[in-house]
Structures are given as C-alpha cells and as structure tokens.
Amino acid sequence: MSGHGLLATFETEAALVEAARAVDSAGHAIVDAYAPYSIEGWPALAHAEASRVGWACLSGGVLGAVGGLTLQAWTSAVSWPLDIGGKPVLAWLAFIPVAFELMVLGAAAGAGLSFLILSRLRPRWRQPGLRDTWPHDRFVLEVAAAGKCDSKLPIRCCARWVRW
Amino acid sequence: MSMATDPPARMPEASASSEQGALTRAMTDLGGAALGRPLRGWWACFAVAVLALAVGVVAVTYQLRTGIGTWGLNRSVGWAYDITNFVFWIGVGHAGTLISAILLLFRQRWRAGVSRAAETMTIIAIVCAAIFPVIHLGRPWLMLWVLPLPNSRGPLWVNFSSPLTWDVFAILTYFVVSLLFWYLGLLPDFASLSHAATGWRRRVFGLLSLGWNGSLRTWARYERTCLLLAGLATALVISVHSVVSFDFAASLVPGWHTTIFPPYFVVGAIFSGMAMVLALLVVMRRAMALQSYVTLQQLDAMCKIMLATSGLLGLAYLIETMTALYGNHGPDRFMLMLRMQGPLAAYYWAMIACNVLVPQLLWSGRVRRNRPLVFAIALLALAGMWLERFLIIVGSLQRDFLPSGWVDYLPTRIEVATLVGSFGLFLVCFLLFCRWLPVVSIAESRAGHRTRLRVADR
C-alpha cells in the first residue's frame, strides 16, 4: 500500500476510542488500529466488514462430514467389501463417530486456516508494518489522510505523519 | 518505516499511568521467565523429570528389542497396564479443554489465569496417552496402518465398524484442535515476547508470532475464531472420552458392556484433569510467584468443579452397582462381587476412598483455601482415577466368560518403568513450557486488568 497516513499513539483504550469516534465523525477513514488486547465493539466503530471465518468454519465442517462418510462408505462397500458374518457392509450407524470427528477437524481447520490467511499471518524473518512500535503497552490509531499535512484531522495527541 | 514515538502533547487522563503500569507489569511478570534465566529449583526438577523419562526410554527400548513378552500381558488380560495408562492420560487432558473451551463459552473470567497452563497440560497429556497404544502395537513402525491410507495390500482398509478405529480419529482430531487452539492463544504473546526479547530469542519469538502486529481488525477476527474453536472443542470434550469408552462399552465383556460408560468416562476424565491442573498450579503459583494471576478464588472454583465431578462419579459407581444387582444378570453380578470382594478388592475400596470420600473434604472452604491439603487431595484423586481404569480393564479381563481363561495379572518391571517414563515425559515437557513460554496469557491478563480498571472507575 502506498499513500499518506497518520499514526497516533495513545496511552489508554478510552483515549483511542474517543479519538477514533472523533476521526470517524469528521468523515476521515480509519485504516486500522493496534492494541495489546481486543477492544469490544471495534469493528462497528471502524466500519469493518463482517468476518468470513464463520463461513470457512462451516464449509470445513460440511466438507469433513461429507468426506468422512464418503471415505467410509467407499472403503467399506466399494473398494473392498468384506462379508464378516453376514454383517452389512454399509453400517451407517458405525460410521457416525468417525464422520463426526472429521467434521470437527474440518471445521477447526477451516476456521484456523481462514483466520491465518485473512489476517495475512505467516512465519517471516522480518516482522512487517509496525514492528518497532508494536503496541505491547500502548494504543495506535491509523488514519488515512489525503495529503502530507492534513491539518483538519481532529487528533491532537502525539502523532507523526508517516509514509507507508 | 517511521515511528510514532513523540511525547504526548497532552496526557489523556488520570488513570493512564496506572493502566500503562499494568500493561507493562503483565509483560515483566509473565514474560520474565521466558526471557531470563530459569527459576531457582528448575534445574533440580528438570533433572528428576529427565531421569524418570530416561527410565521409560530404557524400558521401551528393551521392550522393542526383545518383544512384547517383556510385559505381564497374557492371553486373557491383553490390555492391562498400557491401556490403563492410555485412558488415564487422555482423561487428564480433558480438564484443559474444559477450562479453555467450555468456560470461555460460559464467560467465566477466572479461567484467564489458568487456561494457558491447562491447555498445555492437555496437549502434553495427549502425547503421553498416544505413546501407549503405539507401543502396544508391538511393531510400532507399522503404526500408520491404523489410518485409511492407500496401500498395496489389497488395498486393505481399516475396519470403520471398530471402536478402536474411532479412537484413532477421535484422538487425532482432539490433538490437532487442541494444538491449534493453544497456538492461536499464544500468538499475541509471541509478538509481545519478541518485542521485549533480544538476540536469537527475538528472532525465534518473531517467527512464531507469524507477524502479529496487534491490528484490531485481526483482533476481532481472532476473537471470532477462538469462539468458534471453543465451540468445536466443547464437542470434543464430550465426544473424545465417549469414543474411548466405546472401546469397552461396545464389547460384550461383563463390567464393560454398559450404557453408562460414556458419561461416566467423561465425568471421570474431567475429575482427574482438574486434579492434575490443581496439583500443577498449586506448585507453579508458589514457585513462579504467580499469586496475583492465579488467585485463591480460581483455585477455589477448580476445587468446586472437582467436588461436583466427584459427586457425579460417586453416582456412576452407585448406578453401576445398582444395575448389576437389579439386572439379575449372572456375569455382571459376579463381576461386581469380584471387584468388591475379589483379589482386587483393596484397589476397589482405595478407588472409592480417593475418588468419592476424600474429595468430600472440599465442601469446607477452609480445606479449599489450604493449598498443601488441596495438593494432597488432587494427588489422591489422580491415583484413584488410575486405579479406576486399572480395575475396569484388568478386573474384567481377569475373569472372562470361560473359567479356563481365568488368570491373575501382575505388572512386570518393564510396565512399571514405562508408566514412570510417561510421567517423566509429561514433567519434562511441562517444565520446558514453564521455562520458555508465558505460563499465564499475557494478552488475556492485560484485557483482564482493563475490566478491573473499569469496575474501579465506577
């Protein structure tokens, strides 16, 4: 991404939320914010889109369950059906536990992987973005700005124009 | 990349400095162990644990070289020590999932201080459990045969109607989901540690943090993912030990073939797991000076869960007795009498004492606040739960339907050494965790401090 933006650092969560509200009502776009912990109600405040993790979780679960049933039915009844004492080869009831576990596995993998992919998290030698100001004890607000010096932004806290 | 570190133009509010202090303190208190030198006494504990592990490694190596005949297993008691240990360790793991998943869904705030240690315990316990069936295969190098992998033997597939195959899937799923949940929980902490560390630790923690930068968009997605995983893990708490109990309940052996086994196993698992978490936390809290993170209130809550599950377990023992007596089924009644009066009677009554009678002391608040006593009760509960599994497995197999197959079982030294080795493995892994990772979630304790601040403001 290229362009101009503003990083403002705050000492408390309350100050960050207050500034974000002011920036938002003044009509400026909030790019993101960085904090040592999750802030309740932030997505609504920053007009963030709904997360797609839930859908990935559901798809993974469906895939796991259907795949699990198919695997069991195919191996037991198609690939090599074994007649053991006249027992049915398609023993649906006995397939439930494995299908259930594979559903849970698929759903968890869907949720976990989609979270990592959507958040662009992967192992890297050099930490990107706000590496040096990683907010382990402070709160940072990132606001999109039109030019180098947009003096109309309603933030009077410590701030510096950055280019990224 | 520029930094935004100019001094603030105005101080936002009065509570700022205390909030800042709390955020930094969480880091120094909890990250300190991972960034500095090991605590006093750590090496001594580690040496003991490594010694126990070495005993196990020697025993398993000898057994692999010589054959499974080095165990006391015989024709009718084919599942003695190793499956007992397997069920025991899987059960111990369940408390971690209960604390991290079910209590998260129920918004029990006290779990924040104990969840990391409990989740770690879960993962290590699953590993300890998994080694037993693998060794029990006799030829562990063929262990991939338990999975339905394409092969040139037909292809010969696994038997999906067998509870033992269900077990493989249940435990693999349990391990993967627990590991994922645990690692996601560690992500923000890895970033904090990387920021605070220097040298190679900075690099390693940075790699492990996957580039976490505290973005609130990521945080929102993260919370949603954790909630979803908690829901999935909740299903696992119930299902995994139920599937383990099917290994027994789906057979026709007297004492095993009963519908009460799934809930009975799950309750027992949570009971033994809580005992393990309590035993570990009582020691860790003292040794690592975690008094302000693992509070007496949290230990109290865990004691109450132990008490409740002990009551449920007592009920299950009662129903088992009742069914055997009322059901008028000869072999079942014989099995009950065998447990209560036969050669394993001492084990049975010790189990009742450890699992049902002694935990009743926890009704008293004074006992729950007495840490050495809680520690002793927890160790007794662990012993009792181990005995329960031993009784179920060995008791029923010793006296099969055919009296010609009746034998007595005694463990050999190799079996005992393997059990010791599994405890060694558990302790080695747990001590390494205490040494290198924050034992209490840094991010969660920061968030927890925030809520306390808000309450104080009102």
Side-chain angles (χ1 to χ4, degrees):
Chain A
M1 208 194 287
S2 71
H4 287 98
L6 177 78
L7 285 185
T9 311
F10 304 91
E11 299 231 322
T12 63
E13 177 196 333
L16 170 75
V17 171
E18 189 192 325
R21 285 218 176 92
V23 164
D24 185 49
S25 56
H28 297 277
I30 297 170
V31 178
D32 206 344
Y34 305 86
Y37 50 75
S38 171
I39 293 175
E40 229 172 288
W42 178 263
L45 193 66
H47 307 295
E49 77 281 17
S51 164
R52 282 168 289 173
V53 171
W55 286 108
C57 183
L58 179 69
S59 333
V62 171
L63 205 69
V66 173
L69 277 178
T70 315
L71 171 80
Q72 295 181 78
W74 182 74
T75 53
S76 317
V78 181
S79 176
W80 192 352
L82 289 174
D83 186 341
I84 302 166
K87 288 178 186 163
V89 284
L90 266 184
W92 292 109
L93 279 176
F95 294 168
I96 291 174
V98 170
F100 176 81
E101 298 297 341
L102 287 177
M103 176 186 77
V104 172
L105 188 64
L113 289 179
S114 68
F115 164 71
L116 294 178
I117 293 167
L118 290 172
S119 310
R120 300 204 177 88
L121 293 171
R122 59 187 162 77
R124 344 168 176 240
W125 282 111
R126 297 174 64 83
Q127 306 307 318
L130 296 168
R131 182 74 193 93
D132 295 321
T133 46
W134 197 83
H136 70 104
D137 59 356
R138 53 193 65 233
F139 302 82
V140 181
L141 182 64
E142 188 180 352
V143 184
K148 194 168 190 318
C149 215
D150 192 346
S151 57
K152 281 179 229 144
L153 276 173
I155 294 179
R156 285 182 293 118
C157 213
C158 62
R160 176 187 279 187
W161 292 101
V162 292
R163 197 189 164 81
W164 79 95
Chain B
M1 199 59 53
S2 306
M3 289 170 37
T5 47
D6 291 5
R10 83 187 151 109
M11 285 300 286
E13 57 209 65
S15 73
S17 58
S18 73
E19 191 168 333
Q20 282 274 291
L23 292 175
T24 320
R25 202 167 53 244
M27 183 64 218
T28 45
D29 282 4
L30 303 172
L35 301 173
R37 299 183 151 278
L39 288 165
R40 202 161 50 88
W42 187 87
W43 278 111
C45 296
F46 192 65
V48 173
V50 167
L51 197 69
L53 176 60
V55 168
V57 170
V58 169
V60 172
T61 313
Y62 175 73
Q63 177 246 304
L64 288 181
R65 289 178 61 92
T66 316
I68 212 159
T70 54
W71 284 1
L73 307 178
N74 48 46
R75 193 35 82 91
S76 70
V77 189
W79 267 17
Y81 241 55
D82 49 342
I83 302 301
T84 302
N85 298 337
F86 160 73
V87 180
F88 171 78
W89 279 117
I90 282 286
V92 161
H94 275 57
T97 323
L98 177 93
I99 288 175
S100 62
I102 297 186
L103 298 185
L104 177 79
L105 294 181
F106 281 103
R107 295 179 190 277
Q108 295 290 310
R109 288 206 183 281
W110 61 267
R111 60 172 278 287
V114 300
S115 59
R116 172 69 48 76
E119 285 169 30
T120 313
M121 181 205 72
T122 295
I123 291 167
I124 304 172
I126 300 173
V127 173
C128 287
I131 57 174
F132 283 101
V134 170
I135 305 171
H136 191 240
L137 292 174
R139 280 180 272 177
W141 47 93
L142 299 182
M143 68 179 169
L144 284 180
W145 288 14
V146 302
L147 294 173
L149 298 173
N151 56 69
S152 53
R153 303 184 295 279
L156 183 62
W157 301 103
V158 295
N159 178 7
F160 280 111
S161 302
S162 161
L164 298 180
T165 301
W166 306 347
D167 238 11
V168 172
F169 283 87
I171 283 155
L172 279 182
T173 301
Y174 189 36
F175 182 70
V176 172
V177 175
S178 302
L179 198 66
L180 184 64
F181 203 31
W182 179 77
Y183 189 74
L184 282 189
L186 274 165
L187 269 183
D189 286 6
F190 279 141
S192 300
L193 286 172
S194 161
H195 187 82
T198 51
W200 64 272
R201 285 172 182 165
R202 187 185 181 94
R203 269 286 160 89
V204 171
F205 285 130
L207 260 184
L208 289 171
S209 77
L210 304 182
W212 179 277
N213 61 6
S215 147
L216 279 177
R217 284 176 199 276
T218 306
W219 268 118
R221 205 178 286 127
Y222 174 81
E223 294 229 306
R224 190 161 187 84
T225 312
C226 285
L227 216 56
L228 286 168
L229 286 179
L232 293 169
T234 302
L236 289 182
V237 174
I238 311 296
S239 77
V240 172
H241 226 51
S242 297
V243 169
V244 169
S245 81
F246 291 159
D247 292 348
F248 304 95
S251 75
L252 290 175
V253 178
W256 289 6
H257 184 59
T258 150
T259 47
I260 201 179
F261 260 30
Y264 166 30
F265 268 51
V266 172
V267 163
I270 292 169
F271 175 69
S272 64
M274 272 301 160
M276 184 62 103
V277 179
L278 266 174
L280 291 172
L281 279 176
V282 164
V283 177
M284 274 167 67
R285 180 175 184 271
R286 175 91 184 251
M288 304 181 73
L290 295 172
Q291 278 87 347
S292 54
Y293 296 95
V294 182
T295 60
L296 286 180
Q297 187 207 345
Q298 291 164 337
L299 296 181
D300 191 77
M302 284 190 285
C303 285
K304 284 177 182 163
I305 294 186
M306 244 183 93
L307 182 60
T309 44
S310 157
L312 285 169
L313 209 52
L315 187 67
Y317 294 151
L318 213 64
I319 292 177
E320 221 182 11
T321 313
M322 161 84 184
T323 317
L325 292 178
Y326 184 76
N328 200 21
H329 178 239
D332 262 354
R333 190 179 291 186
F334 170 73
M335 192 47 61
L336 178 77
M337 287 307 151
L338 182 79
R339 280 187 193 168
M340 288 181 168
Q341 300 169 350
L344 298 176
Y347 292 171
Y348 182 82
W349 296 110
M351 171 193 87
I352 296 285
C354 292
N355 292 351
V356 184
L357 300 180
V358 172
Q360 301 307 315
L361 289 173
L362 295 171
W363 284 102
S364 149
R366 264 179 44 209
V367 173
R368 291 199 303 269
R369 280 187 294 277
N370 184 336
R371 265 101 62 213
L373 204 53
V374 167
F375 182 71
I377 293 173
L379 287 192
L380 281 177
L382 283 171
M385 284 311 295
W386 190 88
L387 284 176
E388 182 200 294
R389 277 65 183 261
F390 184 77
L391 268 172
I392 289 174
I393 292 169
V394 173
S396 286
L397 291 177
Q398 270 189 350
R399 297 288 182 271
D400 212 338
F401 286 111
L402 277 180
S404 61
W406 289 6
V407 283
D408 285 330
Y409 163 78
L410 263 183
T412 62
R413 277 177 294 179
I414 296 295
E415 283 171 298
V416 178
T418 314
L419 174 62
V420 170
S422 74
F423 273 93
L425 176 65
F426 180 82
L427 288 177
V428 164
C429 294
F430 201 81
L431 284 165
L432 286 176
F433 155 72
C434 291
R435 169 73 183 91
W436 291 113
L437 296 176
V439 290
V440 175
S441 165
I442 299 173
E444 275 193 58
S445 63
R446 282 169 171 164
H449 182 80
R450 167 196 56 180
T451 44
R452 276 206 295 284
L453 267 184
R454 278 193 189 147
V455 173
D457 286 348
R458 271 178 223 149

